[in-house]
Amino acid sequence: RLFLVAAGNVDLWDDDFLTRSDLEPIEDPGQAWNALTVGAYTDIDTIDSSEPGYAGWTALAPRGELSPHSRTSAAFNKQWPVKPDVVLEGGNLGRSPNGSFDTPISMQLLTTRAPMIGPRLLTVTSMTSAATAQGAYLAASILAEYPALWPETVRALIVHSAEWTDAMRARFGVAGSRRETAALFRRYGMGVPDLARATRSATDALTLVAEDVIHPFFGGKMREMNLHELPWPADVLSDLGGAEVRLRVTLSYFVDPNPARRGWRRRYRYASHGLRFDVRRPTESTGDFRKRINQLALAEDERRPTTDSDAQQWHFGPDLRSAGSLHTDVWTGTAADLAQRGVIAVYPVTGWWKERPDRDRSDDGARYSLIVSVETPGQDVDIWTPVAAEAGIPIEVET
């Protein structure tokens, strides 16, 4: 099952609403590892001039910014999952000329009234519960389109389809350090999801979905890793040469919480297992890539530095994206570089299954979903058709 939960609402507001939201942590159970936690942003930045009692009032949050109602995980320890995972419309607040706050009807969302009796069939709603209802619609729509998908995949597709608004991108653009980037990640998640992106590829934006099983441990030791050799538009990418392209990867899996509800270190780790992904570098053979991943998987410390790393080409990098059980990141580089990166590894890192072999359920297998997309913005090129042909997908031709 996939649970969608609200991030929780801020109860007291002030002019510096972003700082207020960052100081108000996600409410229980929004911190849950396996849940999809939905926060709120807003595109509503105008108060209806005909609404009585709000003359001279202005919107508190600008268009595309976090809703003043929404909580964040900026105050969480870095080992806790990044929440919210995504944000959806949750309405705005109005600010009066004397500095008070209220929620005008025109800054909320229209919805059906319950019970639907009497002359009024519609009402308004707002905050993170309203945003979560929209997230549930997205999840239901994805399942209606592809009913055989796993819950892990539905969660991954929603997050993978999310994009930051212009206002959010502007803040990421001036972040001066990894710490500031991490704080913004814990404020906005991956941004605003989109149903079309979650369910469709485009000719210039290819999306690949893999559902697989891994057996992480055996007898307290690392057991296996999975290599995904993707149907890759290598020739098309090579022809683009130095053009800038984007690779986006999302890994989603569910964990078993520690039955003793213990903490984070050694045998008292919270999660049964962790998974990570890595992408082959352009100078590596598949054999060298496998050896490098084996060394990573066998290392005791999850947060280990690596040499010759390409971390600077990733928006977050392996450290910032590793919290929780849903990992997503965006790589930016040249098309020629990406052409040689068509292999992705998924490998385990330690968890309480490894520390407690008597309770290890690795033999049953741990499911995961891997979503990979390639985008060639600004390039008039078809990367979908050659991959579809290689994968044996029927291609419709207009006549």
Side-chain angles (χ1 to χ4, degrees), residues 180-194:
E180 292 176 355
T181 298
L184 293 172
F185 192 15
R186 290 186 174 274
R187 176 189 292 172
Y188 301 121
M190 286 306 291
V192 184
D194 180 84

Side-chain angles (χ1 to χ4, degrees), residues 198-220:
T199 55
R200 295 286 185 271
S201 288
T203 57
D204 64 344
L206 167 72
T207 299
L208 304 170
V209 179
E211 295 178 327
D212 210 337
V213 175
I214 193 170
H215 303 85
F217 315 116
F218 180 77

Side-chain angles (χ1 to χ4, degrees), residues 8 14 39 63 101 113 121 129 144 161-162 172 177 211 244 262 278 286 339 352 354 363 379:
D14 53 44
R63 185 178 184 85
F101 303 100
R113 185 172 180 265
L121 301 182
S129 292
S161 74
F172 276 109
S177 66
E211 295 178 327
E244 185 176 282
R262 294 295 185 93
D278 206 339
T286 299
W352 68 263
K354 178 176 178 291
D363 284 346
Q379 303 297 317

Side-chain angles (χ1 to χ4, degrees), residues 258 262 264-269 351-352 355-356 358:
N258 193 313
R262 294 295 185 93
W264 292 96
R265 292 187 178 145
R266 302 301 299 170
R267 66 182 305 166
Y268 300 124
R269 296 178 187 274
W352 68 263
E355 308 294 344
R356 297 288 305 274
D358 58 318

Side-chain angles (χ1 to χ4, degrees), residues 135-254:
Y137 165 77
L138 286 176
S141 299
I142 292 170
L143 275 178
E145 185 81 12
Y146 303 105
L149 289 180
W150 293 350
E152 296 94 330
T153 308
V154 175
R155 180 175 73 152
L157 285 170
I158 291 174
V159 172
H160 195 83
S161 74
E163 297 279 356
W164 296 304
T165 65
D166 290 342
M168 298 171 192
R169 287 184 185 280
R171 295 192 182 277
F172 276 109
V174 297
S177 66
R178 286 283 180 179
R179 183 175 181 179
E180 292 176 355
T181 298
L184 293 172
F185 192 15
R186 290 186 174 274
R187 176 189 292 172
Y188 301 121
M190 286 306 291
V192 184
D194 180 84
L195 181 59
R197 287 196 298 268
T199 55
R200 295 286 185 271
S201 288
T203 57
D204 64 344
L206 167 72
T207 299
L208 304 170
V209 179
E211 295 178 327
D212 210 337
V213 175
I214 193 170
H215 303 85
F217 315 116
F218 180 77
K221 303 291 185 181
M222 297 298 178
R223 182 170 177 176
E224 68 181 15
M225 67 173 177
N226 289 349
L227 282 188
H228 295 269
E229 297 196 27
L230 305 173
W232 206 239
D235 292 342
V236 177
L237 291 170
S238 295
D239 290 342
L240 290 176
E244 185 176 282
V245 296
R246 295 202 309 168
L247 169 70
R248 186 165 184 169
V249 182
T250 300
L251 174 65
S252 171
Y253 56 98
F254 293 158

Side-chain angles (χ1 to χ4, degrees), residues 24-352:
E24 298 283 351
I26 298 286
E27 289 188 312
D28 189 12
Q31 80 286 353
W33 283 50
N34 295 341
L36 181 73
T37 303
V38 183
Y41 89 111
T42 188
D43 273 334
I44 304 172
D45 61 352
T46 304
I47 299 175
D48 188 346
S49 59
S50 65
E51 190 170 345
Y54 294 102
W57 285 57
T58 56
L60 179 57
R63 185 178 184 85
E65 188 52 270
L66 190 76
S67 169
H69 298 297
S70 192
R71 291 172 177 252
T72 76
S73 65
F76 280 14
N77 186 289
K78 65 181 181 179
Q79 292 173 302
W80 278 88
V82 173
K83 301 290 181 173
D85 297 293
V86 294
V87 292
L88 284 158
E89 181 63 68
N92 205 341
L93 278 173
R95 184 187 186 281
S96 73
N98 65 11
S100 61
F101 303 100
D102 199 3
T103 53
I105 290 176
S106 56
M107 306 205 87
Q108 301 183 59
L109 289 79
L110 188 67
T111 186
T112 52
R113 185 172 180 265
M116 294 182 65
I117 57 176
R120 294 183 57 194
L121 301 182
L122 301 176
T123 186
V124 291
T125 185
S126 63
M127 306 186 189
T128 58
S129 292
T132 305
Q134 296 167 71
Y137 165 77
L138 286 176
S141 299
I142 292 170
L143 275 178
E145 185 81 12
Y146 303 105
L149 289 180
W150 293 350
E152 296 94 330
T153 308
V154 175
R155 180 175 73 152
L157 285 170
I158 291 174
V159 172
H160 195 83
S161 74
E163 297 279 356
W164 296 304
T165 65
D166 290 342
M168 298 171 192
R169 287 184 185 280
R171 295 192 182 277
F172 276 109
V174 297
S177 66
R178 286 283 180 179
R179 183 175 181 179
E180 292 176 355
T181 298
L184 293 172
F185 192 15
R186 290 186 174 274
R187 176 189 292 172
Y188 301 121
M190 286 306 291
V192 184
D194 180 84
L195 181 59
R197 287 196 298 268
T199 55
R200 295 286 185 271
S201 288
T203 57
D204 64 344
L206 167 72
T207 299
L208 304 170
V209 179
E211 295 178 327
D212 210 337
V213 175
I214 193 170
H215 303 85
F217 315 116
F218 180 77
K221 303 291 185 181
M222 297 298 178
R223 182 170 177 176
E224 68 181 15
M225 67 173 177
N226 289 349
L227 282 188
H228 295 269
E229 297 196 27
L230 305 173
W232 206 239
D235 292 342
V236 177
L237 291 170
S238 295
D239 290 342
L240 290 176
E244 185 176 282
V245 296
R246 295 202 309 168
L247 169 70
R248 186 165 184 169
V249 182
T250 300
L251 174 65
S252 171
Y253 56 98
F254 293 158
V255 301
D256 286 348
N258 193 313
R261 300 174 62 88
R262 294 295 185 93
W264 292 96
R265 292 187 178 145
R266 302 301 299 170
R267 66 182 305 166
Y268 300 124
R269 296 178 187 274
Y270 176 81
S272 53
H273 64 290
L275 300 180
R276 302 290 183 265
F277 70 82
D278 206 339
V279 182
R280 186 178 67 183
R281 296 170 189 163
T283 57
E284 285 181 317
S285 67
T286 299
D288 289 340
F289 179 46
R290 184 188 295 273
K291 291 177 184 178
R292 178 167 65 83
I293 299 303
N294 273 330
Q295 291 174 349
L296 291 177
L298 291 173
E300 286 295 322
D301 183 7
E302 294 180 30
R303 300 180 180 276
R304 54 203 168 268
T306 58
T307 58
D308 189 29
S309 174
D310 62 350
Q312 294 303 314
Q313 290 180 279
W314 292 91
H315 188 87
F316 297 115
D319 285 342
L320 294 188
R321 70 180 181 231
S322 64
S325 63
L326 192 152
H327 315 297
T328 187
D329 209 345
V330 178
W331 175 94
T332 303
T334 67
D337 191 343
L338 184 59
Q340 307 302 316
R341 290 175 171 265
V343 181
I344 296 181
V346 175
Y347 62 93
V349 295
T350 192
W352 68 263

